Amino acid sequence: MTVRIAVLQMTSGIEPGANFDVIRKAASDARAGGADVMFTPEMSLLLDRDRARATAHVVPQEHSPFVGALGELARELGMHIALGSIAVALPDGRWANRSFLFSPGGGPPVTYDKMHMFDVDLASGENWRESSAYKPGDEVVTATITPGTNESIQLGLTVCYDVRFPALFEALGRRSCDVIAVPAAFTVPTGQAHWHVLLRARAIEASAFVVAAAQVGEHEDGRRTYGHSLVVDPWGEVLLDMGGEAPGLGFADIDLARISEVRAQVPSLANRREIAT
């Protein structure tokens, strides 16, 4: 079975409404192009490193007008929308970096909170301290979707920096995920060094397709992101690379039969053994 997916590469700014308009237009174009699922990047609705300014837009999930609007959009278009993530306010005063999966059948979205916080001092002089505002998630999340067919797909959810932690992908492999989403807003230095090799490695290890929708270019808050939204097959072959220059919508046709072919040739999931530490 072949499924057509769409990947939205964005240059998200500091106004959620404007970013939502980009997603809404892209979803319509994705559906018109035959896609059954659309993937968007990390922090699709708001990318703003000025936390004081961003706070006005960060609300609890149940108070967000965009969560309801995206659910309705998925229902209207008859497609799944895998929203890479948005910032969500939590009761303890911190935020969650939360992914959403909206179904064409309606109902509450499946959610995943990013587990690993990006706390680094880069040689370029950039400093990032996600843990100063965000609470890490503690649950591995997968969802079963049926995009345009009666055959189900197991989708695993991760966010950006999670890609550097193989244990999470091992857990997703144990759940026999067919596709793993890795929405991201990678910095340029780390992207140039590690983006492609990490995503190809995770696809190979999990014997699954990896779909990594990314932020790209110069943003209103002053940051610059790497782009190169990728779709990688279970053998590690890159099926789509959207480059590092501009936002846009890309398409890929993923042949789910490829998963069983690769797992038969290199049965690493079946051969895995527990290692005592």
Side-chain angles (χ1 to χ4, degrees):
M1 182 185 76
T2 299
V3 175
R4 170 157 279 209
I5 65 170
V7 180
L8 178 59
Q9 182 159 282
M10 298 183 70
T11 308
S12 294
I14 62 175
E15 292 297 332
N19 296 322
F20 174 75
D21 288 343
V22 171
I23 294 170
R24 179 171 53 191
K25 172 64 164 58
S28 179
D29 292 344
R31 194 62 177 136
D36 292 306
V37 189
M38 185 179 79
F39 296 83
T40 78
E42 181 182 25
M43 292 298 170
S44 293
L45 288 171
L46 177 68
L47 199 66
D48 191 354
R49 65 186 304 176
D50 184 335
R51 287 172 179 163
R53 182 174 58 195
T55 297
H57 301 297
V58 180
V59 300
Q61 178 178 328
E62 61 271 21
H63 296 159
S64 171
F66 300 108
V67 171
L70 285 160
E72 181 62 20
L73 181 63
R75 190 193 64 77
E76 288 178 358
L77 293 175
M79 69 184 300
H80 291 85
I81 298 176
L83 186 79
S85 76
I86 62 173
V88 173
L90 300 175
D92 68 0
R94 289 184 289 177
W95 301 346
N97 189 339
R98 182 167 294 172
S99 286
F100 290 80
L101 176 64
F102 299 96
S103 167
V110 176
T111 64
Y112 163 77
D113 289 353
K114 182 179 180 180
M115 285 188 177
H116 301 96
M117 299 293 97
F118 189 50
D119 290 355
V120 299
D121 298 302
L122 298 175
S124 64
E126 294 178 72
N127 301 291
W128 302 92
R129 290 290 180 271
E130 280 189 332
S131 63
S132 66
Y134 289 89
K135 179 181 180 180
D138 58 9
E139 183 180 358
V140 177
V141 176
T142 61
T144 302
I145 63 175
T146 52
T149 75
N150 291 324
E151 187 169 347
S152 63
I153 294 174
Q154 193 75 359
L155 174 66
L157 300 179
T158 75
V159 177
C160 199
Y161 193 49
D162 283 336
V163 76
R164 294 184 180 274
F165 299 88
L168 174 56
F169 287 80
E170 181 177 351
L172 294 171
R174 286 199 300 268
R175 295 191 185 189
S176 300
C177 285
D178 303 300
V179 179
I180 300 173
V182 190
F186 250 58
T187 67
V188 172
T190 57
Q192 289 173 337
H194 300 146
W195 177 248
H196 287 76
V197 68
L198 282 170
L199 290 166
R200 294 183 67 199
R202 297 298 169 255
I204 293 166
E205 290 167 353
S207 300
F209 287 92
V210 165
V211 181
Q215 296 281 355
V216 67
E218 303 287 342
H219 297 264
E220 286 182 282
D221 70 347
R223 82 179 75 193
R224 184 174 171 226
T225 53
Y226 181 64
H228 289 276
S229 297
L230 297 182
V231 177
V232 185
D233 85 351
W235 196 249
E237 295 181 0
V238 175
L239 305 182
L240 175 70
D241 183 338
M242 295 181 65
E245 301 303 321
L249 186 67
F251 292 86
D253 296 314
I254 61 174
D255 182 2
L256 297 177
R258 184 67 173 145
I259 299 168
S260 57
E261 291 174 1
V262 169
R263 291 178 181 175
Q265 291 179 64
V266 184
S268 56
L269 295 176
N271 296 157
R272 180 181 287 122
R273 298 182 64 192
E274 295 296 326
I275 298 175
T277 58

